[in-house]
Amino acid sequence: MNTRGRIIKAAKRLFAEKGFDRTTVDDIVRAAGIAKGTFYLHFSSKEELIKEIAMMAMPFMAFSSVLRNTNAYERLEDFLQALGESFFEYYSDIDLRILFFHVVSIKEAIPSLKEIHNRLCSELIAEGTKRLMQFVDGDKKKAEVAFRTFLGSLLHYLYSGGCSTISQREYLRKLVQMIVKGLD
Amino acid sequence: MNTRGRIIKAAKRLFAEKGFDRTTVDDIVRAAGIAKGTFYLHFSSKEELIKEIAMMAMPFMAFSSVLRNTNAYERLEDFLQALGESFFEYYSDIDLRILFFHVVSIKEAIPSLKEIHNRLCSELIAEGTKRLMQFVDGDKKKAEVAFRTFLGSLLHYLYSGGCSTISQREYLRKLVQMIVKGLD
Amino acid sequence: MNTRGRIIKAAKRLFAEKGFDRTTVDDIVRAAGIAKGTFYLHFSSKEELIKEIAMMAMPFMAFSSVLRNTNAYERLEDFLQALGESFFEYYSDIDLRILFFHVVSIKEAIPSLKEIHNRLCSELIAEGTKRLMQFVDGDKKKAEVAFRTFLGSLLHYLYSGGCSTISQREYLRKLVQMIVKGLD
Amino acid sequence: MNTRGRIIKAAKRLFAEKGFDRTTVDDIVRAAGIAKGTFYLHFSSKEELIKEIAMMAMPFMAFSSVLRNTNAYERLEDFLQALGESFFEYYSDIDLRILFFHVVSIKEAIPSLKEIHNRLCSELIAEGTKRLMQFVDGDKKKAEVAFRTFLGSLLHYLYSGGCSTISQREYLRKLVQMIVKGLD
DNA sequence: TATGAATGAGTCTTCATTCAT
DNA sequence: TATGAATGAAGACTCATTCAT
C-alpha cells in the first residue's frame, strides 16, 4: 500500500476511536509508520484528511450502488431489502459507523464539510424519495416520510447496535415488512 | 440567574455551535461574563461540565414525562403521538439537537460519558418496547423494531431537518400512521 | 487553641509534608478548619507564614537552652552530650527535621529569609566555637572545625536517619567520643 | 552543545538560583534560547528534568571516582583526604551545592526522586563504611558513625560555607586529623 | 519523496489574594 | 473577627505546521 493509503487507513482507525479532534497528526504518523513531515506531502492540512475520511462515512456511499441501478426492482419490498443489505454491508466496517456520527458532530465547526454533508444528505433523500414514489402512487410527502423513516431506523440501528440483541437480518426484515405494510 | 446557571447556559450554546473540543474554557467564561478561576469553583474540569450538558441532550430526557405516565394512553396512536410531541417540544431547543450528536460522537473518547449514554439508551429502548408491547399482543421483537424505528425516524428528522420542507407536525402524523398501520 | 495557632499547626504539618511551594493556602485553611479570608486576617501573606515557621526549624532553636547555660559544663564530653541531647529532643518532632531542609532550600528564593537564616547560622557557629575554645586551649580554628563537624554530623543523622539502623543514643555517644578523642 | 545539553545547563543554573518549583519551564527555555515546544521534545515533563539534574547533585557522584578505586589507599588519612578533595572538586560548581539541598527538600514531594535519593544515600554510606572498616579493625558501627560524621561535616561546610572564613583546604586537613585521631 | 527537530500560539488548570457581606 | 465567591495572572503542557537536510 502506498504512503497516502497508509495514512488514510491509520487515520480512519484512529478517528473512529478518538474522534477527529482528539487524534493528533502525531498519532496518525506513528500508526502509519511514517515521519511527521511526510504527512504534509500528502495532505495540506489535517482538515483536508478529515474531509476525505468524512466523505467515506456518509450513508450516501452506502446506498450508491443500489441507487445507480435504476428501475431494477419490481416490488417495494425488494427495493428496501436491497437498500438495507447494501447499507449493512457498507457499515460492516465498524469504524465507519462511529465515523458517521463524528461527521455529524464536527460538520458544525467546518463549513466546507457541512456543505458537502448537506448536499449528499439532500441528494440521498431526493433520490430515495423519487424511487419510492414509484411504489406509492405519487404521494411525495408520504414517500419522503417513509424513506426518511427507513433511513432513520437503519441509522438508529447502527447507533444503538450495542443496546439490543436483534440481529441485523431480522431487524431489516421486520423493518421492511413494517414500512411496506405501513405504506399500503 | 446564579453563576453556575450562567456557565451552563453559555456552555450549552457554545458546545452546540462548535462542539465540545473546539469550545475553550475561555470561550465559556467570556460568554458567561465571569473570570476564568470562577469556572473551576463550579466545575472541577471542563469534562465535568461536558457530562452535565451531555445528559441534557439525551433523548431519554425528551420522553421522560410521557414514559412516567403509566397506562395513560388507550390507543397506540395516542401513545406514539404523545411521545412524538414530547420529543419535538423538548428538542425545540435547537442547540439540544446538535448537542445530541456531539454526545454520540464524543462518548467514544470519554469512558464515563459512554457509560451514562449506553445506560440511558438501553433504558429508553427497554421501557419504550415494554409500553409498545401492550399494543402488539406481546411480540417483543416486533415491538422493539417498531420502537427503535419510531425513535430513529424522529432522530433522523432532527438530524436532517435542514434538508427537507415537511413540517414537524406533518412528519409526525405520517410517521405515526405508518407505524400503526405497519404493526397492524 | 486560637485561630492563629491552628493555622501554624496545620501549616507546619503540611509544609513538612509537601514543601512550602506545593502547599496551598487552600490546603492550610482546610486543615485548620477556617475560611480562606480568615487566613489573611492573621498573616498578611503566605510568605509571612513561611518565615514564621522557618524560624522554628532552625538548629539554633535546638541548642538555645544549652547555649544560654553559660559555663555549666565542666568537661567537653558533658557539653557535647548536652548539646546532642537537646538537639535530638528538639528534632524529635519529625516535621521540624524536614522543615529545616526546606528552609535551606527556599532561602535562596526569599531574601529576607536568607538574611535571618545566615544570621542565626553565624551566631550559632560563633557561640558554639567560643564555648568549645574553653576545652581546646584557645585554638580557634580547631574549635570551629570541631563544632561544625559535630553539628554537621547531627544534621546528617537527621537527614539520613532512614538509611541506617544505629540508634540516636548510640550515634551520639560514639560521635562525642570521637570528637573528644580527636581534639585531645 | 546540543539542545538537550543547553536545556540542562540552563536549568541547572536556574534551579540552583530559584529552586525547582520557582523556576518555570518558560524561564528555562528563555535561558536556553529555545522554543517552549522544543523543551518537551527532550523531556517528557519538568519533573523528568528535575530528576536528571537531581542525580547530578547527589554526594554519591562526588565520591564515585574515589570509591571505584578499590584498595588504592594505604593509610586512613590518605583515603579521607582523597574523598574530601574529590568532594570539594565536584562541588566547586557552586550551583551543585545548593542543588543538593533543593533535592533533599523536594524529595518528600516527588516519590520517584525520593526513591533515587534514598538508594544513592544508602549505597554511599554502605560503601563508605565498608572501606573505613579496613582501617578500624572491623568495628562496623564505629566505622559508620565516622563515615557519616565525615560526610556530614563536609556537607555542613557546603551549607554554611558563607558563614565562616576557614578555607576548604584547612577545613579538610583539620577534619581528617580529627577523624583519624578520633578513631585511633 | 522522506525525515524529524524546532516552533509558538493556544489550552486547561492552579492559586495567592481581595472584598462585599 | 469570620466568611467564601470571585478574580486573573501565571504555569505546565499540547499540537498543527514548517523547513533544513
Side-chain angles (χ1 to χ4, degrees):
Chain A
M1 190 183 273
N2 62 11
T3 304
R4 195 169 201 280
R6 281 159 65 196
I7 292 174
I8 290 180
K9 189 179 167 191
K12 186 159 82 64
R13 186 76 266 290
L14 288 163
F15 283 157
E17 194 173 317
K18 318 204 285 180
F20 297 116
D21 286 338
R22 297 187 179 210
T23 299
T24 69
V25 174
D26 251 304
D27 290 337
I28 295 167
V29 299
R30 205 177 310 121
I34 61 169
K36 195 91 146 282
T38 307
F39 177 89
Y40 288 90
L41 291 180
H42 295 276
F43 294 91
S44 65
S45 71
K46 183 182 162 188
E47 194 164 313
E48 282 310 306
L49 174 60
I50 289 177
K51 276 190 220 166
E52 182 146 343
I53 289 190
M55 287 286 287
M56 298 165 52
M58 295 296 294
F60 187 88
M61 303 299 161
F63 292 126
S64 56
S65 65
V66 174
L67 289 179
R68 261 198 308 273
N69 256 10
T70 17
N71 301 323
Y73 305 95
E74 256 179 44
R75 298 188 309 160
L76 171 58
E77 205 161 342
D78 300 334
F79 175 57
L80 294 177
Q81 184 71 26
L83 280 177
E85 280 168 8
S86 175
F87 180 90
F88 280 130
E89 193 193 322
Y90 193 81
Y91 285 111
S92 63
D93 178 342
I94 307 281
D95 286 342
L96 288 179
R97 299 185 181 197
I98 181 65
L99 270 173
F100 167 63
F101 294 98
H102 288 326
V103 173
V104 174
S105 172
I106 206 161
K107 73 185 165 70
E108 302 302 317
I110 304 181
S112 62
L113 192 55
K114 184 166 191 171
E115 195 272 324
I116 292 174
H117 171 276
N118 284 357
R119 187 157 42 74
L120 290 184
C121 178
S122 295
E123 278 177 26
L124 177 57
I125 291 179
E127 184 63 21
T129 301
K130 202 179 82 187
R131 299 293 288 278
L132 267 195
M133 281 172 66
Q134 300 171 340
F135 303 102
V136 294
D137 49 5
D139 183 338
K140 183 159 187 288
K141 291 202 170 167
K142 196 171 172 185
E144 183 178 326
V145 171
F147 184 72
R148 287 167 74 177
T149 296
F150 179 71
L151 186 52
S153 183
L154 292 177
L155 288 170
H156 189 259
Y157 187 91
L158 288 195
Y159 147 71
S160 65
C163 303
S164 161
T165 56
I166 301 183
S167 72
Q168 275 179 19
R169 178 183 302 273
E170 189 173 3
Y171 190 90
L172 178 57
R173 190 164 47 77
K174 286 189 191 301
L175 171 60
V176 170
Q177 271 175 14
M178 190 172 64
I179 299 283
V180 169
K181 202 169 175 191
L183 282 178
D184 205 14
Chain B
M1 190 186 272
N2 63 10
T3 304
R4 196 169 199 278
R6 281 160 63 198
I7 292 174
I8 290 181
K9 191 179 167 191
K12 188 159 81 62
R13 187 75 265 291
L14 288 162
F15 282 158
E17 194 173 316
K18 316 206 285 178
F20 296 116
D21 285 338
R22 297 185 179 211
T23 300
T24 69
V25 174
D26 252 307
D27 290 337
I28 295 168
V29 299
R30 204 177 312 123
I34 59 169
K36 194 104 72 96
T38 308
F39 177 90
Y40 288 92
L41 286 181
H42 296 278
F43 295 92
S44 63
S45 69
K46 183 181 160 188
E47 193 165 315
E48 281 309 307
L49 174 60
I50 290 176
K51 275 191 223 165
E52 183 145 343
I53 289 192
M55 287 284 287
M56 297 166 53
M58 294 295 293
F60 187 91
M61 303 299 162
F63 292 124
S64 57
S65 65
V66 175
L67 289 178
R68 260 198 308 273
N69 256 11
T70 16
N71 303 323
Y73 306 96
E74 255 180 42
R75 297 187 311 160
L76 171 59
E77 208 161 341
D78 301 334
F79 175 58
L80 293 178
Q81 184 71 28
L83 280 178
E85 281 167 8
S86 175
F87 181 88
F88 279 128
E89 192 193 322
Y90 192 81
Y91 284 112
S92 63
D93 179 343
I94 307 283
D95 287 342
L96 288 180
R97 299 185 181 196
I98 182 62
L99 271 173
F100 169 62
F101 293 98
H102 288 326
V103 173
V104 174
S105 170
I106 206 162
K107 73 185 166 68
E108 301 303 315
I110 305 181
S112 62
L113 192 55
K114 184 167 191 170
E115 193 272 323
I116 291 174
H117 171 277
N118 285 356
R119 187 157 41 74
L120 291 184
C121 178
S122 295
E123 278 178 26
L124 177 56
I125 291 179
E127 184 64 21
T129 301
K130 203 179 80 186
R131 298 294 287 277
L132 268 194
M133 282 172 66
Q134 300 173 340
F135 302 102
V136 293
D137 49 5
D139 183 338
K140 184 159 186 287
K141 289 200 171 168
K142 197 172 172 184
E144 183 179 325
V145 171
F147 184 73
R148 288 168 73 176
T149 295
F150 179 71
L151 185 54
S153 183
L154 292 175
L155 289 170
H156 190 260
Y157 186 91
L158 288 194
Y159 145 72
S160 64
C163 303
S164 161
T165 56
I166 301 183
S167 73
Q168 272 178 23
R169 178 184 302 275
E170 189 174 2
Y171 190 91
L172 178 57
R173 189 162 49 77
K174 287 187 188 304
L175 171 60
V176 169
Q177 269 175 15
M178 188 173 65
I179 300 282
V180 169
K181 202 168 173 192
L183 283 179
D184 206 17
Chain C
M1 190 184 274
N2 62 10
T3 304
R4 194 168 201 282
R6 281 159 65 197
I7 292 174
I8 289 180
K9 189 179 169 193
K12 185 159 83 64
R13 189 75 266 290
L14 287 163
F15 283 158
E17 195 173 316
K18 317 203 286 179
F20 296 117
D21 286 338
R22 297 185 180 212
T23 300
T24 69
V25 175
D26 251 302
D27 290 337
I28 296 167
V29 299
R30 205 176 311 123
I34 60 169
K36 195 92 147 277
T38 307
F39 177 90
Y40 287 91
L41 291 179
H42 295 276
F43 295 91
S44 65
S45 71
K46 183 181 160 188
E47 194 164 313
E48 282 308 309
L49 174 60
I50 289 176
K51 277 190 219 164
E52 182 146 345
I53 289 191
M55 286 286 287
M56 297 165 54
M58 294 295 295
F60 187 90
M61 304 299 160
F63 292 125
S64 57
S65 66
V66 175
L67 289 178
R68 259 198 308 274
N69 256 8
T70 17
N71 302 323
Y73 306 95
E74 254 181 45
R75 297 188 310 161
L76 171 60
E77 205 162 343
D78 300 333
F79 174 58
L80 292 178
Q81 184 72 28
L83 279 178
E85 280 168 9
S86 175
F87 180 89
F88 280 128
E89 193 193 322
Y90 192 79
Y91 284 111
S92 64
D93 178 343
I94 307 281
D95 287 342
L96 288 180
R97 300 187 180 195
I98 182 64
L99 270 172
F100 168 63
F101 293 99
H102 289 327
V103 173
V104 174
S105 172
I106 206 161
K107 74 185 164 68
E108 301 303 316
I110 303 181
S112 62
L113 191 55
K114 183 165 190 170
E115 194 273 323
I116 291 173
H117 171 276
N118 284 355
R119 186 159 40 76
L120 289 184
C121 178
S122 295
E123 279 179 24
L124 177 56
I125 291 179
E127 183 65 21
T129 300
K130 202 180 81 187
R131 298 293 289 275
L132 267 194
M133 281 173 66
Q134 300 174 341
F135 302 101
V136 292
D137 48 6
D139 182 338
K140 183 159 186 287
K141 290 201 172 168
K142 196 172 173 185
E144 183 178 326
V145 171
F147 184 72
R148 288 168 74 178
T149 296
F150 180 70
L151 185 53
S153 184
L154 292 177
L155 288 170
H156 189 260
Y157 187 91
L158 287 195
Y159 146 73
S160 65
C163 304
S164 163
T165 54
I166 300 182
S167 71
Q168 274 178 22
R169 176 182 304 274
E170 189 172 3
Y171 191 90
L172 178 57
R173 187 162 50 77
K174 286 187 188 304
L175 171 62
V176 170
Q177 271 176 15
M178 189 172 64
I179 299 283
V180 169
K181 202 169 174 190
L183 283 178
D184 206 14
Chain D
M1 190 184 269
N2 62 11
T3 304
R4 194 168 202 280
R6 281 160 65 198
I7 293 173
I8 289 181
K9 189 179 168 191
K12 187 159 81 63
R13 187 76 267 289
L14 287 163
F15 283 157
E17 193 174 319
K18 316 205 285 180
F20 296 115
D21 285 339
R22 295 183 180 213
T23 299
T24 69
V25 173
D26 254 307
D27 291 337
I28 295 168
V29 299
R30 204 177 311 123
I34 59 169
K36 192 107 72 93
T38 307
F39 176 90
Y40 289 92
L41 285 181
H42 296 278
F43 295 92
S44 64
S45 69
K46 184 181 160 186
E47 193 165 314
E48 281 309 308
L49 174 60
I50 289 176
K51 275 190 224 165
E52 183 145 343
I53 289 190
M55 287 283 287
M56 297 165 53
M58 293 295 294
F60 187 89
M61 303 299 161
F63 292 125
S64 57
S65 66
V66 174
L67 289 178
R68 259 197 310 272
N69 258 9
T70 15
N71 302 322
Y73 306 95
E74 255 180 45
R75 298 187 309 160
L76 171 58
E77 206 161 342
D78 301 333
F79 175 57
L80 293 177
Q81 184 71 28
L83 280 178
E85 281 168 9
S86 174
F87 181 89
F88 280 127
E89 192 194 320
Y90 192 82
Y91 284 110
S92 63
D93 178 344
I94 307 282
D95 287 341
L96 288 179
R97 300 187 181 195
I98 181 64
L99 271 173
F100 169 63
F101 293 100
H102 289 325
V103 173
V104 174
S105 172
I106 205 159
K107 74 185 165 72
E108 301 303 316
I110 304 181
S112 62
L113 192 54
K114 183 167 192 170
E115 194 272 324
I116 290 173
H117 171 277
N118 285 356
R119 186 158 41 75
L120 290 184
C121 177
S122 294
E123 278 178 27
L124 177 56
I125 291 179
E127 184 63 22
T129 300
K130 202 179 81 186
R131 298 294 287 275
L132 268 194
M133 281 173 66
Q134 301 172 342
F135 302 101
V136 292
D137 49 7
D139 183 338
K140 184 157 186 290
K141 290 200 171 168
K142 197 171 172 186
E144 183 179 325
V145 171
F147 184 73
R148 287 167 74 177
T149 295
F150 179 71
L151 183 54
S153 183
L154 292 176
L155 289 170
H156 190 260
Y157 186 91
L158 289 195
Y159 146 72
S160 65
C163 304
S164 162
T165 55
I166 300 182
S167 73
Q168 274 178 21
R169 178 183 303 275
E170 189 172 4
Y171 190 90
L172 177 58
R173 189 164 47 79
K174 287 190 187 302
L175 171 61
V176 170
Q177 272 176 14
M178 187 172 66
I179 300 283
V180 169
K181 201 168 175 190
L183 282 179
D184 205 17

